[in-house]
Amino acid sequence: METATEGVFDTAVPPSGPGCLECEQTGGWWWHLRRCARCGHVGCCDGSLSTHARRHAASTGHPVVQSYEPGEDWFWDYGAESFRDGPTLTPPTSHPEDQTAPGPAERVPADWREILAAR
């Protein structure tokens, strides 16, 4: 059963997985993760090289994400470019705590700080 609020949230849908869906498919890496509050798509944040969470929001019209980092529960609205309130989403609410950020560890280059700073 779908529980939607304003067509932006679906509290019944689980996240798409423990990492950025597109980065996993292409062998990429991410800085931090964001979860779509509507469909559960997990994408990499704006600080990551590929910004898949923002790209997902633009291509689907799903503007709100929640941080998918352990200990964080804030929501961001790409349409309004601001934080917002939101409901409790279906667990899990973050990637596994033993997963590194940036991650996944085996694909993160040694010079990742320089790579991100040069963007």
Side-chain angles (χ1 to χ4, degrees), residues 39-51:
C39 72
H41 173 272
V42 175
C44 52
C45 71
D46 286 354
S48 298
L49 291 177
S50 298
T51 66

Side-chain angles (χ1 to χ4, degrees), residues 91-118:
T93 57
S94 72
H95 64 74
E97 291 205 26
D98 63 351
Q99 181 176 299
T100 62
E106 66 275 8
R107 294 197 308 250
V108 178
D111 61 345
W112 67 269
R113 286 181 182 87
E114 290 81 15
I115 291 170
L116 293 180

